[in-house]
Amino acid sequence: MPGKGEFGLKNGIDLNDSIVELPAKIFSELRDKLDTNPADKDWRALARAVEKEYRIKPSMIELWSPALSTGSASAKLLTELSSQGMTVKKLINYLNTIEVDTCALKLSPPVDIQIIKTPPAELEVYEGDPLVIQIDATGQPYPTYQWFFCQNGEDDFKKLVGRTEKVLRLNDATSANAGTYACRLSNCRDPKKTKITDHTLVSVIPNPMPIHSGLNPPSRDDVIYLYNQIGHTLPAPADLMPRLDDTFDKRCCSVSYSLIIGHPRDVLVGMNEPFVLSVQTSGNPPISYQWYRNGLKLEGEVWSKLSVQHASILDFAKYYCVVKNGYKTEQSNTAYVKEKFPKPERNVEILLVSQPKSVSVKFGGCALFSCEARCSEPLKYQWFKDGMPLQGEVSSEIKFMNIQDRRVEGFYQCEISVDIRDENMPRRMTMGALLTVEIPHVRDNIEYNPSDKVALLIGNSDYKSETPLNASTIDVQMLSESFRALDFRVVSLLNLTKPEIENAVLHFKELLGENVYAVFYFCGHGFEEHGMSYLVPTDAPAAYTAQECVCAQEILANIQKKEPPVIFMILDICRQEPKVKSTRVPQFVPKTNRGNTVFCYATSVGLAAYENKNGGLLVNHLSPLLRKNIGIDALVSDVKGEFARVHKHSKIQIPELVSNLLENQRSLTDKISKKGQTEAFQQRDIKWNAAHQKPDKQTIHFEEVGVVIELDFQAEFSNVLHVFTTVIDHGRTQSCIGKITNFSPPISQQGKVDEFKQYSRVVTKISLQDIQKLKENLIVDVTITFFMNNTQYFLQRRVNLGQPLVAKLRLWEHSHHFTPTSREAIQQDEETDSAHSYPSAQ
């Protein structure tokens, strides 16, 4: 199975997907940026950019405004755009239009800086006139600018504080401004990619025009107005107006002065306290004023002073004033109004503990979606259906009772956020869950009741010599949930070597019987050779051949020994030829003519299997269909139909069904009946529980400081153990945290260590993978880090957790009984009447 990024960016995002498919982390970062950016790059700017192509009305924008509604305005805008089918590619284009950094959001790759407009090598400016030097550049992330200046007579450049825009503008140039200017552009930490513009030599020369006398010349419109007032018609020979214009232009050029002589200053103010910003001017009246906050015009604020009686959180912002008098227009410096006693920053993190699961129910049935999260602050919830918020659904669960309407079918997600009105608080979106409603139908009065149902699911992703995969863990997790919902006993294993795969199959075989349904699933790298399918283990060498891999037909032969009524083999692998061909043809070619086998291949012979950000394509289409009350053959046919409906998937991957199942109405949804099989059912219970036993919850005392630590355990996969370390009692310490800091060498850590608070107690979580590699008991070190008298200390305890989960099965041992002998194959041939043999399912 090829690696990620088959359909779009390196992070697996498909550019042609709807923006509702964006990962929750990217969605929340984009939402926060659009909520807090300056006015030319915020959610309103995006709304103005898309309003022609998408139906975004001004009335909608005003309703979304934070002043009129609760919640995030940008989240409402993005949800509306997703409901209108905006793709990720379109969103990126519009974000680039308003210069929002899409590279930081991981929506576009980094691009080196390219200067597209350079400043001149030399520039002359009259004394008193404005000095303007402009530069423009492209790149991802967008470049930052910093201007430098070397005054005439000096030999070093100095940073111009606050001059960080594309355009360097200095009003009223003087001889002190004469010298050399340059700008530094950067968009990453790599100094080699920083660009410096060529130097611009600026000369400031005396102004030949007379100094302004204090009077402004009338404009041409003023002259026309005055003539009309006195009842005369303005003379209009052919050359009068050009001469007037030329005269006015020359007279205007002679005027050099600044309207603003006093700029507003920064203010520190407390909540509900008053503050005043003011601008001082000189020049001919009438002078008009207009104040702006964060780039937006403040209606009614048209005086030289801006007064606020009671400062609110909206008032802590950037302000400037635009001043006009008919001849000149000037903008004041920016003044910052900051909170005098800002709230301390909180380190708040939302940890998702459980997420909603897809469910299929019959008419009249009930459905429940729930999620659980942990956080040091109170949380609030909002459920969404197909990207749109559900009115009133604001608890951690959503229920559907006595379903009589298929309109409830859809894609459900929950947004979890901190219940505090603070834009900087985090938000998390759960994974989506699908609700489907089954139409009842009659199955020709044929009822099948297996005595048990078991599934072995293996996902390989962390390869020693092959490209790592992302989908395997996601797919095994998704299928585990689906099969458990169908009352299957599930054995789910990640990242197995060749002997571990073979031993897992042998132990799995012990859970089977003559009336037990069997499902085998493998996701990872694979290939086909001589008509046989091979699964690549994680320890395969770089130039692996069939001899270093596991043959799927041999797995089937082992399962066949228990003669189950149904064997469902799901192979989520590529079916192309191997990179290195085997030196010999396999001796064993098993027969599958017992009328009980269905092969579901992720793709057809000679083609590859693919994954995207949501997992493997096969499982994306298969998992929602598993609960359909139809025969297994029909189920796989429906999967092919789902591929056909998604054109971009069917272009590259076509699933294949190979079946010799005689009782084709057998279904994965068949109900288990223990009638006459109670003892065998209990024996399978004992075997399955032995391979899934977690360590008991235990308490550890650190008597030296009175600290008490609790260890608790969860298992999401059969060879991954989650260990929770909770500080029950801080004892005599000022603060304390407990962690697992060391563990037995054969196993490794999965992901990062999470830290959160639960009921005001500090909890850390670590996930230990490769449990199947344990040859001895699992030993961990529990370390507490604590402060006493403002000094940090450490204490450690070593804890024996025994052999949890599948460690007792010793899957790492070399397997001597996996490969069927040629005698077994010959015996099978002799027992089968060749005149009534059935097609091979290889």
Side-chain angles (χ1 to χ4, degrees):
M1 181 179 290
K4 62 187 179 180
E6 296 295 339
F7 303 111
L9 304 173
K10 290 184 177 180
N11 55 11
I13 296 176
D14 187 345
L15 296 178
N16 294 317
D17 269 352
S18 167
I19 61 176
V20 76
E21 300 291 335
L22 282 174
K25 182 178 180 181
I26 293 180
F27 183 89
S28 61
E29 289 179 359
L30 174 58
R31 175 199 60 207
D32 295 342
K33 277 183 176 293
L34 293 176
D35 278 341
T36 58
N37 273 355
D40 58 338
K41 301 177 184 179
D42 68 352
W43 66 275
R44 288 181 180 273
L46 179 59
R48 290 191 295 270
V50 304
E51 62 182 355
K52 291 184 179 179
E53 184 173 355
Y54 296 88
R55 298 184 298 276
I56 305 298
K57 300 177 181 178
S59 58
M60 299 165 65
I61 296 176
E62 292 310 314
L63 288 175
W64 295 337
S65 172
L68 297 177
S69 67
T70 59
S72 165
S74 62
K76 294 181 174 68
L77 172 61
L78 293 172
T79 301
E80 175 64 28
L81 293 175
S82 68
S83 69
Q84 296 189 35
M86 174 180 274
T87 64
V88 176
K89 185 176 182 179
K90 281 276 190 181
L91 176 63
I92 293 172
N93 292 338
Y94 280 116
L95 291 176
N96 288 332
T97 300
I98 63 173
E99 294 191 358
V100 171
D101 189 354
T102 56
C103 182
L105 294 167
K106 297 182 179 178
L107 289 175
S108 60
V111 178
D112 291 344
I113 295 173
Q114 294 292 327
I115 298 177
I116 58 178
K117 183 177 182 179
T118 59
E122 295 184 1
L123 185 64
E124 287 188 353
V125 60
Y126 285 116
E127 189 175 7
D129 285 354
L131 167 61
V132 179
I133 309 176
Q134 186 170 359
I135 184 175
D136 201 1
T138 61
Q140 282 289 348
Y142 287 105
T144 60
Y145 302 84
Q146 176 60 60
W147 288 91
F148 292 83
F149 172 56
C150 178
Q151 194 171 22
N152 286 342
E154 298 184 3
D155 57 1
D156 64 326
F157 280 86
K158 296 179 181 179
K159 182 189 292 186
L160 293 174
V161 179
R163 301 298 181 173
T164 57
E165 301 293 336
K166 296 179 182 180
V167 180
L168 173 65
R169 182 182 181 90
L170 303 175
N171 293 324
D172 301 328
T174 66
S175 58
N177 301 129
T180 305
Y181 292 80
C183 184
R184 182 184 66 198
L185 298 86
S186 60
N187 69 344
C188 66
R189 296 182 179 179
D190 186 355
K192 295 180 180 178
K193 296 185 177 181
T194 297
K195 297 285 182 95
I196 305 292
T197 64
D198 293 336
H199 294 173
T200 299
L201 178 61
V202 175
S203 302
V204 179
I205 59 180
N207 197 324
M209 297 298 180
I211 302 299
H212 175 53
S213 62
L215 296 176
N216 288 335
S219 67
R220 183 176 62 175
D221 291 339
D222 292 337
V223 173
I224 297 173
Y225 174 78
L226 291 172
Y227 267 82
N228 291 334
Q229 289 294 309
I230 61 177
H232 289 72
T233 303
L234 180 68
D239 60 342
L240 175 60
M241 296 311 294
R243 287 203 309 272
L244 271 176
D245 290 342
D246 185 57
T247 303
F248 292 151
D249 288 342
K250 288 181 179 179
R251 294 183 64 193
C252 289
C253 288
S254 68
V255 180
S256 176
Y257 74 99
S258 178
L259 270 177
I260 300 176
I261 60 174
H263 293 269
R265 298 183 179 182
D266 295 349
V267 174
L268 278 177
V269 62
M271 287 289 288
N272 294 316
E273 292 182 0
F275 69 89
V276 177
L277 298 175
S278 64
V279 60
Q280 294 178 319
T281 58
S282 69
N284 293 334
I287 298 177
S288 66
Y289 305 83
Q290 177 60 61
W291 287 91
Y292 290 79
R293 180 174 62 194
N294 288 340
L296 297 178
K297 182 189 293 186
L298 291 173
E299 298 296 338
E301 298 297 343
V302 293
W303 310 103
S304 61
K305 291 185 178 181
L306 170 66
S307 300
V308 175
Q309 296 301 315
H310 303 283
S312 68
I313 191 169
L314 293 176
D315 296 315
F316 301 127
K318 298 182 294 184
Y319 295 80
Y320 62 83
C321 185
V322 174
V323 179
K324 302 179 182 179
N325 74 340
Y327 164 60
K328 299 193 71 172
T329 298
E330 290 185 8
Q331 178 179 313
S332 73
N333 294 343
T334 299
Y336 291 81
V337 176
K338 299 180 180 179
E339 188 175 3
K340 187 184 297 182
F341 306 108
K343 297 179 181 177
E345 292 186 3
R346 309 183 189 188
N347 185 14
V348 179
E349 182 180 1
I350 299 174
L351 177 67
L352 287 177
V353 178
S354 65
Q355 307 209 42
K357 308 290 191 304
S358 296
V359 64
S360 180
V361 299
K362 295 181 179 179
F363 274 93
C366 304
L368 170 68
F369 291 127
S370 65
C371 59
E372 182 183 355
R374 292 173 178 156
C375 184
S376 58
E377 300 288 342
L379 297 174
K380 62 181 180 181
Y381 302 82
Q382 175 61 60
W383 286 91
F384 290 77
K385 177 179 181 288
D386 299 330
M388 299 300 292
L390 293 173
Q391 187 72 24
E393 298 297 343
V394 292
S395 68
S396 61
E397 61 183 27
I398 179 172
K399 298 178 182 178
F400 303 90
M401 309 298 292
N402 190 23
I403 296 174
Q404 300 290 328
D405 192 339
R406 295 195 68 166
R407 284 180 293 181
V408 300
E409 288 184 326
F411 190 74
Y412 290 85
Q413 286 179 285
C414 185
E415 185 188 63
I416 306 172
S417 57
V418 176
D419 194 12
I420 297 174
R421 295 197 65 178
D422 187 342
E423 295 179 349
N424 296 320
M425 288 295 103
R427 297 171 182 267
R428 292 290 302 273
M429 184 72 78
T430 67
M431 293 177 60
L434 187 66
L435 173 60
T436 55
V437 180
E438 296 179 359
I439 301 175
H441 64 280
V442 179
R443 292 182 51 199
D444 297 332
N445 299 320
I446 297 176
E447 190 70 31
Y448 295 101
N449 295 114
S451 58
D452 210 344
K453 299 187 290 188
V454 292
L456 172 60
L457 314 177
I458 299 174
N460 279 0
S461 58
D462 297 332
Y463 282 90
K464 180 177 73 174
S465 304
E466 260 288 8
T467 307
L469 301 174
N470 291 331
S472 302
T473 302
I474 300 172
D475 291 349
V476 170
Q477 181 182 23
M478 190 179 301
L479 288 181
S480 295
E481 296 171 358
S482 297
F483 282 117
R484 289 191 189 104
L486 296 172
D487 295 328
F488 274 78
R489 299 179 194 275
V490 176
V491 181
S492 57
L493 299 165
L494 302 179
N495 298 316
L496 300 188
T497 63
K498 183 179 180 182
E500 290 168 355
I501 294 175
E502 294 175 345
N503 282 315
V505 172
L506 294 177
H507 284 285
F508 172 69
K509 183 178 68 174
E510 298 305 312
L511 296 175
L512 301 178
E514 63 180 12
N515 196 29
V516 178
Y517 287 5
V519 172
F520 175 82
Y521 169 80
F522 178 84
C523 177
H525 287 291
F527 61 91
E528 279 207 1
E529 188 176 29
H530 302 297
M532 311 277 273
S533 299
Y534 291 91
L535 319 179
V536 181
T538 56
D539 61 340
Y544 56 79
T545 64
Q547 284 70 38
E548 287 87 28
C549 301
V550 182
C551 178
Q553 281 70 26
E554 291 184 2
I555 294 175
L556 174 62
N558 278 281
I559 297 175
Q560 287 282 23
K561 291 179 181 180
K562 291 292 186 173
E563 298 185 350
V566 170
I567 303 174
F568 189 20
M569 301 283 291
I570 311 171
L571 301 184
D572 201 351
I573 60 173
C574 297
R575 298 182 69 190
Q576 298 163 322
E577 293 185 353
K579 301 173 184 176
V580 180
K581 294 189 177 180
S582 302
T583 56
R584 60 186 176 86
V585 178
Q587 299 295 315
F588 174 72
V589 180
K591 303 294 182 181
T592 57
N593 55 355
R594 299 186 181 182
N596 63 353
T597 305
V598 178
F599 268 89
C600 176
Y601 291 97
T603 191
S604 300
V605 176
L607 297 181
Y610 291 86
E611 63 179 26
N612 59 23
K613 66 179 183 296
N614 298 317
L617 300 190
L618 175 66
V619 173
N620 280 343
H621 293 297
L622 171 64
S623 183
L625 301 175
L626 287 175
R627 297 186 180 94
K628 293 185 70 172
N629 191 21
I630 58 176
I632 300 176
D633 286 356
L635 172 69
V636 180
S637 296
D638 283 358
V639 174
K640 296 170 68 175
E642 290 299 316
F643 268 82
R645 275 189 279 275
V646 183
H647 181 60
K648 65 180 179 180
H649 291 176
S650 60
K651 281 172 54 180
I652 58 174
Q653 182 173 332
I654 305 173
E656 184 175 340
L657 165 68
V658 179
S659 173
N660 62 16
L661 187 63
L662 290 177
E663 298 172 318
N664 58 11
Q665 293 188 11
R666 285 192 181 271
S667 170
L668 297 175
T669 61
D670 290 342
K671 302 299 181 183
I672 294 174
S673 173
K674 291 179 280 188
K675 185 177 181 180
Q677 297 286 332
T678 303
E679 184 177 350
F681 187 88
Q682 291 173 345
Q683 289 299 319
R684 283 189 291 273
D685 248 350
I686 294 172
K687 292 178 182 178
W688 189 88
N689 289 330
H692 292 81
Q693 187 174 0
K694 299 179 295 184
D696 294 330
K697 183 187 295 186
Q698 51 187 286
T699 303
I700 304 170
H701 295 266
F702 291 81
E703 294 84 358
E704 301 93 328
V705 289
V707 172
V708 181
I709 298 291
E710 180 185 78
L711 292 184
D712 198 5
F713 309 91
Q714 291 181 4
E716 189 171 10
F717 301 96
S718 303
N719 63 340
V720 179
L721 183 68
H722 303 307
V723 185
F724 293 87
T725 309
T726 306
V727 180
I728 301 297
D729 190 343
H730 285 274
R732 297 184 299 279
T733 67
Q734 293 170 313
S735 63
C736 179
I737 186 171
K739 292 182 180 180
I740 302 297
T741 55
N742 196 19
F743 39 83
S744 301
I747 64 176
S748 59
Q749 179 178 323
Q750 183 187 67
K752 65 177 183 178
V753 176
D754 290 324
E755 181 181 324
F756 55 92
K757 281 190 176 182
Q758 184 178 22
Y759 308 118
S760 74
R761 293 175 174 175
V762 180
V763 183
T764 60
K765 172 193 171 186
I766 186 172
S767 300
L768 304 179
Q769 61 184 357
D770 300 326
I771 297 295
Q772 78 282 358
K773 298 185 185 301
L774 281 171
K775 298 183 179 180
E776 305 294 340
N777 287 353
L778 173 58
I779 307 296
V780 300
D781 289 336
V782 181
T783 302
I784 59 170
T785 305
F786 59 93
F787 283 86
M788 296 186 71
N789 298 323
N790 296 322
T791 304
Q792 188 177 35
Y793 299 93
F794 304 89
L795 282 175
Q796 191 175 82
R797 292 285 188 274
R798 181 152 289 184
V799 182
N800 188 337
L801 299 180
Q803 290 193 309
L805 306 180
V806 296
K808 302 182 185 68
L809 302 183
R810 301 173 69 86
L811 299 183
W812 48 268
E813 292 182 333
H814 180 70
S815 173
H816 297 283
H817 308 289
F818 177 77
T819 304
T821 63
S822 58
R823 180 178 180 83
E824 290 175 329
I826 294 172
Q827 183 179 0
Q828 188 183 34
D829 285 344
E830 293 172 348
E831 292 174 351
T832 305
D833 185 353
S834 61
H836 296 85
S837 61
Y838 299 101
S840 171
Q842 59 189 6

